[in-house]
Amino acid sequence: MSTHSLVAAWTEADLDVVGRVRDVVRAPDRVLATDGARVDPTAPEVVQLAADLVATMRVSPGCVGLAAPQVGESAKVFCVDVSQHPKARDHHGTFVLCNAEVVEASRNERAREGCMSVPDLTGDVKRPSRITVRGQLPGSGEEVTIEAGAFEARALQHEIDHCDGLLFLDRVAGAHAIYARKTYL
Amino acid sequence: MSAVTLHAITVLGHDRPGIIAGTTGRIADLGLNLEDSTMTLLRGHFAMTLVCAGDAGAEEIERALAPLAADGTLTVTVREVPDEQAPAPVGTPWVLTVHGGDRPGIVSAVIGEIAGVGGNVTDLTTRLTGDLYLLIAELELPAEVDADALEGTLRAVAEQLGVGVTLRPAESDEL
Ligand SMILES: [Zn+2]
């Protein structure tokens, strides 16, 4: 697996607009269950949305990715950044993709997932741990195809699912694979 | 095969540390074998069902477990049950997820469609957290059921209830 140098070098400064921190919507808001619209990655409102997603992710503790439906916009745009996460290995740092889809996937692994839009639950989800994703960078609109593994692969699939109107709840492994998230004081 | 007497025991009520230890300790003292059990918290209530095998009678078990319910916060029931052979699978395993805003009738409407095609629910969890209602069911569907058509029907039912539904094959890991 090799990282994509253009994507790895990307930062939100490339967007040239200031991101605004947006409110994160929670299930059962229907926007989270709606298949997002494909977007023009060069459109100013999409560039602003990309910047907003990164800004909102940055201020959210432990957040490794955020998708447009989570800020109330039914659109296929998401950001990820797994670089600060202890489970991350090879990764691309912060980046935003538009109209992304998984084009290849292999090596299923099961792991526990949570989501800012489902704050009270976590669940065991089986997902491929080696994937190839194709999408477009916001601003330039350049099409990129990246390989991702391990935790970044999981984060990407979780966010792509959001863009398609799916939550991790739609993929949990079974009736006993869902857990109440506890806060221990 | 010798006939074995089985009893189903339920313990329901206010949660506190030591309920499982107290229940299983008394069961062991009677020489009963714990065959199957499940325990969870339902809206904060302790809820446990066990099946145990052995020679003690229902009244003897009830007497032994009575101290658990002495403070009035737990209800214990004991009932003899017949030996059930695990049924052969009727078809293929599936996982159904339903989530959305809470409203009455979600489970009955959705599960009714499963029953309507001869499907069997083998495991079920529902949760209400905040405004979010979640149902996850493990199902067996008869081989002749068209799962795509069933998912379409479920979607239509879910649409009317304002919830979302996904139906997907249950995968097992062969290690
Ligand atoms: Zn999420």
Side-chain angles (χ1 to χ4, degrees), chain A residues 24-183:
Chain A
V24 174
V25 302
R26 293 179 174 190
D29 194 308
R30 295 306 291 162
V31 71
L32 295 167
T34 304
D35 187 14
R38 292 182 64 85
V39 298
D40 171 1
T42 65
E45 66 272 19
V46 171
V47 173
Q48 182 66 56
L49 173 59
D52 292 356
L53 287 170
V54 174
T56 308
M57 173 175 70
R58 292 261 187 259
V59 301
S60 307
C63 181
V64 297
L66 201 63
Q70 294 183 275
V71 298
E73 307 239 12
S74 190
K76 295 192 192 296
V77 184
F78 69 82
C79 65
V80 295
D81 180 1
V82 302
S83 62
Q84 301 306 306
H85 197 277
K87 287 184 194 161
R89 295 204 294 269
D90 290 346
H91 57 75
H92 295 85
T94 307
F95 63 103
V96 177
L97 286 181
C98 304
N99 308 315
E101 53 191 349
V102 176
V103 293
E104 265 181 58
S106 62
R107 294 194 200 173
N108 274 339
E109 283 178 10
R110 183 169 162 149
R112 190 78 59 92
E113 291 187 21
C115 179
M116 281 179 75
S117 295
V118 188
D120 300 325
L121 298 170
T122 62
D124 290 333
V125 180
K126 192 153 69 167
R127 296 189 191 271
S129 63
R130 297 288 296 268
I131 59 169
T132 304
V133 169
R134 186 168 55 215
Q136 294 144 352
L137 295 173
S140 69
E142 180 156 355
E143 179 146 313
V144 292
T145 300
I146 68 168
E147 293 172 48
F151 190 63
E152 187 175 56
R154 182 164 291 270
L156 283 166
Q157 291 170 88
H158 180 112
E159 302 311 330
I160 290 170
D161 272 356
H162 270 305
C163 293
D164 296 341
L166 293 171
L167 298 174
F168 74 89
L169 302 175
D170 295 301
R171 298 208 188 267
V172 293
H176 295 285
I178 199 88
Y179 310 90
R181 195 200 286 271
K182 299 222 172 85
T183 313

Side-chain angles (χ1 to χ4, degrees), chain B residues 44-115:
Chain B
H45 295 271
F46 180 93
M48 178 165 69
T49 306
L50 335 149
V51 173
C52 54
D55 289 331
E59 281 170 27
E60 191 183 350
I61 301 171
E62 267 169 12
R63 235 180 354 260
L65 296 179
L68 286 169
D71 72 353
T73 67
L74 280 180
T75 304
V76 179
T77 71
V78 181
R79 176 167 91 80
E80 188 176 334
V81 291
D83 194 20
E84 295 271 359
Q85 297 303 316
V90 300
T92 52
W94 297 79
V95 180
L96 173 75
T97 296
V98 178
H99 59 84
D102 183 32
R103 54 170 293 174
I106 294 174
V107 180
S108 60
V110 172
I111 299 299
E113 297 295 335
I114 303 298

